[in-house]
Amino acid sequence: ERVEVEGLRFPVASAEEMVVIKILAGRPLDIEDAEAIVAARGATMDFAHVESLLEALEEALGQGDLLPLLVRFRHRDSGAGR
């Protein structure tokens, strides 16, 4: 996505892309940020897009620990207030 500021266009990460970036960074504060973004966006989050990006990263990096974090966030979010 791009945003225009004073006639200049800049690339800006979507909420979905920020979740992926934060999960990939993996620091405790980044994980908290990713979880907060998921909670704030709720049903408007394109989880299929996030999952496909995380799956591609896991395959490219030979990791299996990225997607489980998203699953954990979604599970917590779906249980909130119910």
Side-chain angles (χ1 to χ4, degrees), residues 25-80:
R27 297 172 299 200
L29 184 55
D30 290 310
I31 299 304
E32 288 178 26
D33 290 345
E35 188 169 12
I37 294 167
V38 168
R41 291 293 302 264
T44 64
M45 176 74 66
D46 182 353
F47 287 107
H49 181 57
V50 177
E51 289 171 5
S52 81
L53 291 172
L54 289 174
E55 287 171 354
L57 283 167
E58 283 185 335
E59 185 174 329
L61 298 171
Q63 291 181 227
D65 59 341
L66 304 175
L67 196 54
L69 286 171
L70 180 66
V71 171
R72 187 180 84 200
F73 301 161
R74 290 185 73 178
H75 177 71
R76 285 184 185 166
D77 187 49
S78 67

